[in-house]
Amino acid sequence: MPSLLPENAISAITDAVDASFEKEIAFLQEIVRSPSLRGEEAGVQEIVAGALNSRGYQVETYPIDTEALKDHPAYSPATIDYAGTYNVSGRKQPQSTQGRSLILNAHVDVVPTANPDHWTHPPFAAIREGDWLYGRGAGDMKAGLAANLFAVDAIEAAGFQLQAPLEFQSVIDEEVTGNGTAAAILRGASADAVLIPEPTDEDVIFANSGVIKFRISVQGVPAHPREPASGLSAIEAAFLVIGGLKTIEKRWNDEKHQHSGFDKLSNPASLNIGTIHGGEWPASIPFECKLEGRIGFYPGDTPAHRMADFEKALESLCSEDPRLARAKPELEWIGTCQAGYRLEEGSAAEAALSAAHECVTGTPLRRSIMACYLDAALYMNHCGIPSLTYGPLTRNIHGIDECVNLPSLKRVTRTIALFTAQWCGISPKSGL
């Protein structure tokens, strides 16, 4: 699809991206070097707010108010109180609106690094090596945030101004709950389209999995190891629970042929046990063990339905195994409990992104599925806003030696800039 922008505008905007790309990389390094683990995002948010202020955005910061949010359908059960951290919003408002409004959203929270000794470079050093920039959060998704910021910069550096409202959102707690974006929605965030540059290898995501996250606690019967038969190991009971949950995963995966696109994925339900903590003493039969994890499901199904099925399956496991019944598994819902979404072909937003992508890369925009939680689901499911998840090529996100490909980041920044200009509309800056 050809771009709707004039050729001189395309050249001016893409040249502006290229001219400032080293500054974009330096900014990305700066925000990667500000560790922003869950609950510790205030430092990087201060950098983002400063960057927006210096560019003339109308900037607001606001906390995540779980009391106000808890009855909203976009809310997921929180496990922290969000004290000391906040969302950042930057707005650009034209004198008169002629184009279509846009939200550029990105999250700044990152997952833990695992053992830093196993990284080639320290996880928050933001080392550039060839075409790759290494660091926790470099790919997921601080590169996307930098692309959003410098894409709008390029439009203005090329001598244009947007003709429709734009909101730049830097949100927290996407990795565990999505409550940062939920809080933005609660505050009334709305637009004609949303773009979220998660690491997608330059594909647009047209569907994602619903996700529910859980904690299961099991109890044992403490005893001395010389008399193990008199006790019950909570850790061994936890292993029994995990084995039983694998049967749920298989059953849910067997449904994939009923959902177009998901049938091509090997494990769309994807049960993951992410943490396990148990035991009190090396020479005692352990009394308590807790495990936490997530499991996926398909667009069109509700979290409540899947949660009920999960609860029933856990009860069945206990009825079938007296050891589990004795361990009294207790289930809690923690973190993301949200449905998946499907972006049907033919939306004007995707057509505009496709045109921009093809203009930059010379290739058609590919459509893919992500079997994970995405903040786009909240805008799609709770606001009815077409939401585009599209971002750069990365390696090892959530893993050791996470990194983002810099040539890909430049292409994505160009694409976001052209998409934003086309979607919102542009006019020459006043006085030019």
Side-chain angles (χ1 to χ4, degrees):
M1 175 182 291
S3 173
L4 300 181
L5 293 172
E7 287 298 324
N8 64 329
I10 293 171
S11 296
I13 292 169
T14 55
D15 287 350
V17 169
D18 295 352
S20 65
F21 190 61
E22 287 300 318
K23 291 181 180 178
E24 181 176 345
I25 294 172
F27 176 77
L28 175 56
Q29 289 176 305
E30 182 183 11
I31 58 177
V32 170
R33 288 169 182 158
S34 180
S36 48
L37 298 166
R38 191 183 190 211
E40 301 173 10
E41 303 97 337
V44 74
Q45 291 290 62
E46 184 177 356
I47 296 170
V48 173
L52 294 173
N53 268 310
S54 70
R55 288 162 166 79
Y57 285 80
Q58 300 169 11
V59 180
E60 291 182 278
T61 63
Y62 57 94
I64 311 303
D65 184 346
T66 53
E67 193 60 30
L69 190 58
K70 67 182 182 181
D71 293 326
H72 194 284
Y75 173 75
S76 290
T79 56
I80 61 173
D81 62 8
Y82 302 114
T85 191
Y86 49 86
N87 279 353
V88 177
S89 168
R91 290 184 173 84
K92 286 187 176 286
Q93 185 74 35
Q95 291 185 344
S96 62
T97 298
Q98 299 179 46
R100 295 165 291 194
S101 58
L102 179 65
I103 290 170
L104 296 175
N105 171 289
H107 69 84
V108 292
D109 57 303
V110 302
V111 302
T113 63
N115 187 340
D117 293 342
H118 289 265
W119 287 64
T120 304
H121 309 288
F124 297 109
I127 299 297
R128 182 178 181 180
E129 198 172 85
D131 285 340
W132 299 87
L133 180 70
Y134 289 80
R136 175 58 84 231
D140 188 10
M141 62 166 295
K142 290 179 178 179
L145 186 146
N148 281 346
L149 185 67
F150 280 80
V152 179
D153 284 358
I155 294 169
E156 297 182 350
F160 300 106
Q161 58 192 2
L162 298 176
Q163 294 184 306
L166 179 136
E167 182 179 2
F168 184 105
Q169 296 177 348
S170 180
V171 302
I172 64 171
D173 207 25
E174 185 270 354
E175 295 289 1
V176 178
T177 65
N179 284 340
T181 289
I185 291 171
L186 181 68
R187 282 171 58 87
S190 184
D192 294 313
V194 176
L195 187 140
I196 305 178
E198 290 273 11
T200 70
D201 297 350
E202 299 181 50
D203 292 359
V204 66
I205 303 306
F206 72 89
N208 83 317
S209 298
V211 171
I212 50 179
K213 293 178 181 174
F214 55 85
R215 177 189 295 134
I216 298 175
S217 304
V218 293
Q219 291 185 1
V221 177
H224 195 282
R226 71 182 182 184
E227 300 170 335
S230 66
L232 172 68
S233 168
I235 293 174
E236 292 180 10
F239 292 160
L240 292 173
V241 169
I242 293 169
L245 295 182
K246 287 291 184 181
T247 65
I248 304 173
E249 178 188 46
K250 181 183 184 307
R251 179 160 56 84
W252 289 10
N253 271 327
D254 287 345
E255 301 173 25
K256 67 182 183 179
H257 300 289
Q258 304 169 29
H259 301 272
S260 177
F262 287 86
D263 56 325
K264 297 178 175 64
L265 304 182
S266 62
N267 187 10
S270 184
L271 172 75
N272 182 75
I273 305 301
T275 69
I276 184 165
H277 304 278
E280 301 77 38
W281 188 251
S284 295
I285 304 298
F287 169 68
E288 188 173 45
C289 187
K290 294 184 179 183
L291 58 94
E292 296 175 331
R294 58 85 75 192
I295 190 168
F297 57 98
Y298 305 95
D301 206 352
T302 66
H305 172 76
R306 290 294 175 167
M307 291 156 81
D309 189 11
F310 193 95
E311 291 168 356
K312 184 178 179 181
L314 186 58
E315 290 173 2
S316 296
L317 291 176
C318 293
S319 66
E320 294 164 5
D321 190 327
R323 293 170 297 173
L324 277 183
R326 192 178 177 194
K328 302 176 182 176
E330 181 180 321
L331 173 65
E332 301 172 77
W333 299 110
I334 58 164
T336 308
C337 292
Q338 292 293 329
Y341 73 89
R342 187 179 287 274
L343 177 69
E344 299 298 342
E345 288 191 82
S347 71
E350 186 177 337
L353 179 64
S354 180
H357 172 89
E358 188 161 352
C359 181
V360 168
T361 68
T363 60
L365 179 62
R366 298 183 303 260
R367 307 182 91 231
S368 295
I369 291 175
M370 273 193 171
C372 63
Y373 168 78
L374 296 168
D375 270 352
L378 301 187
Y379 280 111
M380 290 284 291
N381 293 334
H382 304 303
C383 304
I385 300 174
S387 300
L388 306 168
T389 303
Y390 170 88
L393 171 66
T394 58
R395 293 194 305 225
N396 304 325
I397 60 170
H398 289 214
I400 304 295
D401 286 344
E402 175 180 349
C403 54
V404 61
N405 182 267
L406 296 175
S408 176
L409 177 60
K410 182 189 283 188
R411 291 192 296 271
V412 165
T413 306
R414 286 175 166 184
T415 298
I416 294 174
L418 294 180
F419 165 75
T420 300
Q422 182 177 327
W423 183 258
C424 295
I426 52 175
S427 60
K429 278 187 179 178
S430 300
L432 293 181

